[in-house]
Amino acid sequence: MKRTYFVTTLACAGLLTATACGGSDSGGTADGPVTVTVMTWESVQTNAAIKKALAEFKDDNIKVELLETPSGNYGDKLASLTQAKKLPDLFWCGNDTEQQYTTQGLLVDWTDKITNGDGDFKADKFVPSAMENWKTADGQMGGLPSLMNVSGVWYNADAFKAAGLPEPKAGWTWDEMYAAAAKLTGKNGAKYGLVADPLTALDGPFTMSTYSVSAGGAPFTDNVNHPTKAEADGKFTEGVQKLADAVKAGTVAPPGYDVSNVQGLFAAGKVPMMFGGQWLAAGFQTDKPKVKYGFAPLPQVDTPATVYDAVGICTPSYTKNQDATFKVLQYLNTDVWNAVLPASPVAPPAYTPAQASYFDALTKAQQPSVVETVKAGLGAEKTVGVRYTTQWAQQVADLTTAYYQPILTGKKPISELQTYVGKVNDLIKQGG
């Protein structure tokens, strides 16, 4: 979902010193059903659809209550509930929040349920990269991934045709992308041929890892959850240099470029290419851009590679009825998405049997390039994490601002990548 790409950092800011103890209000009584509370960060419309789907949950012993939470204030709400030890039984969470809370013992570990439980709701039915990234260093899972985010490049098919360029598709290369950006710059009011915030902003080094691993090199870090090292090998450096050259040439938007209206500019034909996620498809489906558009996988050097990101649902360790809560968690990851996604296909479920409704909705909406690209991303041979989930992630972001971004703008030499990596490794050794 769109906001989940950045809300996870907000959601965990300032929360990690809180200690979870005490009790939830959802224990139920001997003469009534157990109440399982659910809190999301979704829009009013999506929450209404979720609430309608939850009303179809059939279990006389369980009552499900969806808590009203303004999507824009989700982080503040989560903070106050954490500090008051009143977290709902199920709450939307990002991978970083899940990792840090689980490590601190704040969440229920669902490992046994998802591995040895009854039925088909098992770990091997989830997208492998999502499950792997939701495990802590000691193998715990303090929540379950729910929806996947798949990165790619949105492109203006009309602009490509006018420039005599073939439309991007699976297998296209970084060199082809930069060449297209150069040819499209300045056309029809486009200031830049490519806006690639995921490459130039704070998560840039992680996205740049797709260049490196595609070329047979090493990623920026060996693990986003519990890293042991960061590095910038020859292939990674090569990728950064090509990006810096494109920024210098004025064909790719530089770090700091205002991307607040980039989707609107793209829809109006003023941005020929932009990095983004699959969640934009739902908005484009409703708003209907003036241009013919498509969605292509991230470019490659040799082997297909992509960044992976999953948002999910967590449960506090003090929830009173774990069995009832898990039943609702399973229902959310299956039947609820089957009911909600056809009207708003924002993201593919991490639970693969529930993905059909998402892809069917996109097919019905005549968005074949989105279907193909999302499937390619989910099945990519090589994947890298989208950002650190550690408590000291913000310190890495500060280093990125001080070193990586100035390298892209030419204010620091490419050799400073090694200084940057050295400082990140110091953080890793110190544990923040």
Side-chain angles (χ1 to χ4, degrees), residues 5 150-154 195-196 198 274-280 295-296 298:
Y5 234 63
V150 175
S151 295
V153 180
W154 291 92
V195 177
M274 64 175 181
F275 271 50
Q278 86 298 320
W279 58 81
L280 297 180
F295 187 46
L298 293 180

Side-chain angles (χ1 to χ4, degrees), residues 297-429:
L298 293 180
Q300 64 186 62
V301 180
D302 298 313
T303 307
T306 194
V307 293
Y308 59 82
D309 186 28
V311 298
I313 306 171
C314 293
T315 295
S317 56
Y318 49 78
T319 195
K320 289 186 178 178
N321 195 311
Q322 294 185 15
D323 288 339
T325 298
F326 189 78
K327 287 181 180 179
V328 179
L329 173 59
Q330 178 175 343
Y331 188 77
L332 283 166
N333 267 331
T334 54
D335 293 61
V336 168
W337 292 138
N338 284 333
V340 172
L341 292 178
S344 182
V346 292
Y351 181 64
T352 56
Q355 291 177 356
S357 59
Y358 168 77
F359 289 119
D360 287 348
L362 289 174
T363 300
K364 186 176 181 180
Q366 298 183 336
Q367 300 221 43
S369 67
V370 182
V371 172
E372 293 168 5
T373 292
V374 171
K375 287 184 176 180
L378 294 176
E381 183 176 335
K382 295 186 177 182
T383 59
V384 296
V386 70
R387 64 181 67 85
Y388 280 127
T389 64
T390 58
Q391 294 188 40
W392 41 266
Q394 182 56 51
Q395 292 169 267
V396 176
D398 293 341
L399 291 172
T400 301
T401 301
Y403 289 91
Y404 177 80
Q405 291 182 319
I407 290 170
L408 297 184
T409 58
K411 294 179 180 178
K412 287 184 180 293
I414 193 74
S415 59
E416 283 292 271
L417 269 180
Q418 299 309 318
T419 304
Y420 168 58
V421 166
K423 290 183 177 294
V424 174
N425 277 322
D426 287 342
L427 283 175
I428 292 174
K429 292 175 183 177

Side-chain angles (χ1 to χ4, degrees), residues 15-372:
L15 306 183
L16 301 175
T17 58
T19 300
C21 56
S24 162
D25 292 330
S26 61
T29 63
D31 56 357
V34 171
T35 297
V36 174
T37 51
V38 180
M39 184 173 76
T40 86
W41 55 43
E42 306 300 343
S43 65
V44 172
Q45 294 83 357
T46 302
N47 268 339
I50 292 174
K51 188 173 184 178
K52 182 179 179 181
L54 285 172
E56 298 299 316
F57 180 74
K58 305 298 183 184
D59 192 315
D60 294 338
N61 297 315
I62 302 173
K63 176 184 176 182
V64 185
E65 180 184 352
L66 183 65
L67 304 179
E68 299 296 331
T69 306
S71 58
N73 297 325
Y74 187 86
D76 294 337
K77 182 73 171 180
L78 192 61
S80 63
L81 291 173
T82 300
Q83 292 164 358
K85 308 172 187 72
K86 291 291 183 181
L87 284 167
D89 299 298
L90 294 163
F91 62 94
W92 266 219
C93 60
N95 193 196
D96 43 6
T97 301
E98 177 266 336
Q99 285 288 306
Q100 294 172 28
Y101 276 28
T102 304
T103 300
Q104 294 179 346
L106 306 185
L107 302 178
V108 173
D109 176 15
W110 293 124
T111 303
D112 184 64
K113 286 272 192 185
I114 202 69
T115 304
N116 303 314
D118 298 328
D120 293 329
F121 195 66
K122 297 286 187 62
D124 60 3
K125 295 293 181 66
F126 283 74
V127 176
S129 62
M131 293 300 282
E132 186 61 31
N133 210 43
W134 274 63
K135 292 179 182 177
T136 59
D138 57 0
Q140 294 187 72
M141 293 195 71
L144 289 180
S146 184
L147 293 175
M148 302 293 298
N149 280 322
V150 175
S151 295
V153 180
W154 291 92
Y155 63 90
N156 181 335
D158 292 333
F160 270 75
K161 183 177 180 181
L165 294 167
E167 290 187 25
K169 60 182 181 180
W172 72 315
T173 67
W174 287 79
D175 289 343
E176 289 171 338
M177 181 185 72
Y178 289 133
K183 197 164 186 179
L184 294 168
T185 296
K187 299 293 194 306
N188 299 315
K191 185 174 182 179
Y192 300 104
L194 170 66
V195 177
D197 191 53
L199 276 175
T200 60
L202 299 183
D203 292 339
F206 301 90
T207 308
M208 182 55 70
S209 289
T210 62
Y211 181 100
S212 182
V213 299
S214 175
F220 170 66
T221 191
D222 57 344
N223 192 293
V224 294
N225 292 337
H226 32 88
T228 64
K229 65 176 179 178
E231 63 180 305
D233 68 3
K235 295 300 182 183
F236 185 90
T237 302
E238 177 182 280
V240 173
Q241 184 64 67
K242 288 185 177 183
L243 176 58
D245 291 343
V247 170
K248 181 179 180 181
T251 60
V252 174
Y257 176 75
D258 182 6
V259 296
S260 60
N261 191 38
V262 67
Q263 297 163 31
L265 292 173
F266 176 81
K270 303 299 184 182
V271 171
M273 287 189 291
M274 64 175 181
F275 271 50
Q278 86 298 320
W279 58 81
L280 297 180
F284 289 154
Q285 186 174 313
T286 301
D287 299 338
K288 301 187 184 306
K290 296 179 180 179
V291 300
K292 181 182 177 183
Y293 61 90
F295 187 46
L298 293 180
Q300 64 186 62
V301 180
D302 298 313
T303 307
T306 194
V307 293
Y308 59 82
D309 186 28
V311 298
I313 306 171
C314 293
T315 295
S317 56
Y318 49 78
T319 195
K320 289 186 178 178
N321 195 311
Q322 294 185 15
D323 288 339
T325 298
F326 189 78
K327 287 181 180 179
V328 179
L329 173 59
Q330 178 175 343
Y331 188 77
L332 283 166
N333 267 331
T334 54
D335 293 61
V336 168
W337 292 138
N338 284 333
V340 172
L341 292 178
S344 182
V346 292
Y351 181 64
T352 56
Q355 291 177 356
S357 59
Y358 168 77
F359 289 119
D360 287 348
L362 289 174
T363 300
K364 186 176 181 180
Q366 298 183 336
Q367 300 221 43
S369 67
V370 182
V371 172
E372 293 168 5

